[in-house]
Amino acid sequence: MEDRKNILILFFIVFMTICCNDTQSLQNEKKVFIKQLDFGYKEYFVCYDKDTSQCSCIFSPDRDYGLCVKLYRSPNEKYFFRYIDKDENDTTAFGGFKKPREKIFRSPTSAEMINEIKQCLSVASKKYNLNKLYHFSFRLSYWCDVAIQTSEILEKENKLNVIKHADIDKALEKTSLKDSLMNIFGCYGKTIKKIVCYELITLLRKEYLKNYSPLYKDSHCPNEIVDVEVFVYFDDTH
């Protein structure tokens, strides 16, 4: 009887181990979704099981310049779901712009975001020749740690009060951005020609970053975070 009891206990332990492993595997499963947008644009983004990432890569072939990729990030909006209205508990089927969101998308860390971009590029490379990539663009606030690093540099140089685009360009050179970009695009033979910012410069309260990163709670984080559109241009393919 005792032997039989021990066998049953052993069987239960093995069964639970298998179930837990399967569950963990399911939770860690990642998949890249693709959405055809208007005018030939395509949106690529990653889902962790049923949890959609905030980040999207928007691919737009340009007839004159080549392939352009834009990083889009939102805590509760995504082009992919604009016309879908399903279960709000599943962000992979969450209803677009139709109504206020009660459940926000998954906020990746900067390291996770880099890996997500790499995954999107890997899938997109089956459709696009990434060797023809012309530029990559994003709002600086989307790349939280770089936005914080840039703001810290400008604050130390007393340039947060009157900020020029050239000041941001120089500050970006001192951050981890270029190394991160080469980690993403280097495997496609791309080298960076220049990194520059354009458009309106704004200062965001650090609390704004709470939708994107826990880094805003850092006591060393400046109270104001610079935000601007950043363009990364790649050298021409030879």
Side-chain angles (χ1 to χ4, degrees):
M1 180 64 70
E2 188 66 26
D3 290 342
R4 183 179 179 183
K5 181 179 178 180
N6 290 336
I7 291 173
L8 288 174
I9 292 173
L10 180 61
F11 175 82
F12 178 78
I13 293 172
V14 172
F15 176 78
M16 290 302 295
T17 300
I18 293 173
C19 289
C20 290
N21 287 339
D22 286 345
T23 301
Q24 184 66 33
S25 176
L26 183 62
Q27 290 173 346
N28 291 334
E29 182 182 356
K30 288 184 284 188
K31 182 178 180 181
V32 175
F33 281 72
I34 309 169
K35 172 65 175 178
Q36 176 74 45
L37 306 176
D38 296 335
F39 309 111
Y41 290 38
K42 279 187 178 292
E43 178 183 25
Y44 291 71
F45 61 93
V46 172
C47 286
Y48 298 73
D49 186 18
K50 293 185 177 181
D51 202 3
T52 298
S53 171
Q54 292 179 352
C55 299
S56 290
C57 288
I58 310 296
F59 286 73
S60 55
D62 188 290
R63 182 172 58 186
D64 297 322
Y65 297 105
L67 180 64
C68 302
V69 180
K70 182 179 182 68
L71 177 67
Y72 173 74
R73 183 167 185 169
S74 171
N76 52 12
E77 294 180 345
K78 195 169 289 291
Y79 294 108
F80 188 87
F81 304 121
R82 183 173 293 188
Y83 306 110
I84 298 175
D85 187 12
K86 292 186 179 180
D87 181 9
E88 290 187 359
N89 293 320
D90 178 0
T91 62
T92 61
F94 192 47
F97 299 149
K98 291 187 175 181
K99 54 189 174 181
R101 261 69 61 192
E102 296 178 2
K103 183 176 178 63
I104 64 173
F105 296 128
R106 185 182 193 278
S107 177
T109 64
S110 290
E112 288 174 332
M113 185 182 74
I114 289 170
N115 285 329
E116 287 179 17
I117 296 172
K118 292 170 75 172
Q119 284 181 275
C120 290
L121 288 173
S122 178
V123 175
S125 67
K126 299 173 183 177
K127 176 177 176 60
Y128 301 109
N129 180 2
L130 297 184
N131 197 244
K132 301 291 185 181
L133 186 60
Y134 177 62
H135 73 58
F136 173 70
S137 63
F138 57 93
R139 293 296 298 180
L140 185 55
S141 59
Y142 295 168
W143 211 301
C144 300
D145 58 342
V146 173
I148 291 172
Q149 291 171 27
T150 304
S151 302
E152 287 174 338
I153 293 168
L154 292 170
E155 185 179 54
K156 289 177 181 178
E157 296 176 352
N158 295 316
K159 293 181 178 178
L160 274 182
N161 293 326
V162 181
I163 310 174
K164 298 178 181 179
H165 288 88
D167 295 331
I168 302 175
D169 293 344
K170 291 177 181 177
L172 284 171
E173 293 176 0
K174 302 174 184 178
T175 70
S176 59
L177 178 61
K178 188 171 184 178
D179 287 341
S180 296
L181 291 168
M182 287 309 301
N183 178 21
I184 295 170
F185 297 101
C187 57
Y188 297 100
K190 306 305 297 181
T191 55
I192 296 173
K193 184 176 183 179
K194 61 180 178 179
I195 301 175
V196 292
C197 61
Y198 299 115
E199 309 298 343
L200 179 67
I201 300 171
T202 58
L203 286 175
L204 306 173
R205 297 296 298 173
K206 69 177 182 179
E207 289 79 11
Y208 177 87
L209 295 184
K210 68 183 179 181
N211 290 325
Y212 301 130
S213 171
L215 290 175
Y216 86 99
K217 296 179 180 179
D218 191 330
S219 60
H220 300 293
C221 177
N223 289 323
E224 293 182 312
I225 305 297
V226 64
D227 193 25
V228 71
E229 194 76 17
V230 178
F231 282 78
V232 181
Y233 292 94
F234 299 98
D235 282 326
D236 295 334
T237 304
H238 297 287

